[in-house]
Every structure is written in structure tokens, then in C-alpha cells.
Amino acid sequence: MYGHILNEKKKSLSPVNPTFSVDQYSRPQCSRFSFFGAHEADSGTRKMMACHLRNRLLLLALLITLLTSELARASNSAPAFVQNVIYSNKIAIFSKSYCPYCMRAKLIFSKLHEQPHVVELDLRDDGSEIQSALLDLTGRRTVPQVFINGKLVGGSDDVAAAFMSGQLQKLVDSS
């Protein structure tokens, strides 16, 4: 035979049954599932095999549920992050650290003596997901994307034009 039964005297395993082992309380424990030789099994063995199969199916269903919820959470986290940044900060800039247009937008706010909340997409692992969420929200993938009081101002040229016209200061002061 191919399985094992715990020998109570020696406290070691010895071959006896192809699919099960028995612990010190003589309760059958399934060590591996096999369809071969199942027709030779008694009713207790068949019950254990059915129990084992049911447990495996429940474990598989749980694993699928967890993976599905994890994927859903991951796919929703970037849009939720973007919304949180936009509505939790007076001024929010989605930027890339090397982008000259982003540097220009940040410089304009420093001239206004305002300190915006800046999210540097190139320095984040989820930067591309955040940029995709911004595309869904604004219709733009470009950076910078500047928000004041939860409203999209635009990119670098939009911020510069609003600054030159005095409109940017009014937007900042209107909070």
C-alpha cells in the first residue's frame, strides 16, 4: 500500500493505506486525495474523501474571492487616492519631478506664497495608475494637473494665464 498509518507504539509512520493516515486518537486524517483505489474504500474512507474534496473546494472558493476583492481594491485605489488628494487639499498638483512645465506651475504658487500639495507621479509605484485615473477624471493625461478647492484649473499654461490675469489669486483666496 502507499499511504501511512501512525504506529502508536513507535510513533512513526508505516505504509498501510494509499490515501489516509491515522493519528494517535485513531481518527482518520486525509493525507492526500486520490481517485485511484476509491472503489475499494469503505464508507468511512469515502466520507473522508468527500470531506477532503469539500474542504479543497471551499478553500479554492475563498482564494478566488480574496483575489477578486484584492483586484477590485487595487483597481479602485488610484481613483480614490486622486479624489482624496483633490478634495482634501486647497491646492493639489499632480506632477512629475523632471517636468519643466510642472516646475513652472510650482514656481507660480511659491510666488503667491502658497504651498500646494504635490504628488510626484514619477516617484510613486502607482504613478501610471494615478495618471490613468486623472485621464478618466479630466480627459487629460498630461502633467501638471492643478486643482484649487476641488476644481480643475488646468496645466502649466492655464495656471500661468490665471496668474497673469489675477484670477489665480482670486481662486486661491476664495476658499
Side-chain angles (χ1 to χ4, degrees):
M1 297 290 173
Y2 303 104
H4 301 286
I5 290 185
L6 183 64
N7 186 332
E8 288 188 25
K9 275 188 173 180
K10 296 181 182 177
K11 298 289 182 190
S12 64
L13 297 175
S14 61
V16 172
N17 185 304
T19 57
F20 295 95
S21 65
V22 177
D23 64 12
Q24 65 267 24
Y25 303 109
S26 298
R27 187 178 68 216
Q29 298 290 323
C30 184
S31 61
R32 70 185 166 109
F33 184 79
S34 172
F35 287 102
F36 302 105
H39 62 279
E40 299 172 3
D42 63 3
S43 65
T45 303
R46 281 192 294 270
K47 286 180 185 177
M48 283 302 296
M49 292 170 83
C51 178
H52 181 73
L53 181 59
R54 186 187 75 231
N55 288 343
R56 291 271 173 129
L57 289 173
L58 287 173
L59 184 60
L60 180 62
L62 178 63
L63 183 61
I64 289 170
T65 303
L66 289 175
L67 288 175
T68 304
S69 66
E70 182 65 25
L71 288 174
R73 186 188 64 79
S75 66
N76 290 331
S77 63
F81 174 79
V82 169
Q83 293 288 334
N84 187 40
V85 168
I86 291 170
Y87 294 111
S88 299
N89 298 286
K90 181 178 176 180
I91 304 167
I93 301 176
F94 294 90
S95 169
K96 292 192 177 178
S97 62
Y98 57 82
C99 172
Y101 301 105
C102 298
M103 291 177 203
R104 178 176 158 200
K106 291 182 269 188
L107 179 63
I108 290 171
F109 283 103
S110 69
K111 288 180 182 178
L112 292 174
H113 304 289
E114 295 290 339
Q115 188 170 1
H117 179 84
V118 179
V119 178
E120 299 289 0
L121 300 176
D122 62 315
L123 302 179
R124 295 179 57 100
D125 292 336
D126 60 349
S128 62
E129 289 87 6
I130 293 171
Q131 201 162 5
S132 294
L134 287 167
L135 174 64
D136 293 341
L137 182 66
T138 66
R140 301 179 182 184
R141 242 187 110 70
T142 58
V143 289
Q145 289 195 38
V146 179
F147 294 84
I148 298 177
N149 298 320
K151 295 182 182 178
L152 177 66
V153 174
S156 177
D157 292 340
D158 301 315
V159 170
F163 176 70
M164 296 301 285
S165 70
Q167 188 65 26
L168 189 64
Q169 185 67 51
K170 290 178 186 175
L171 287 172
V172 170
D173 290 341
S174 69
S175 60

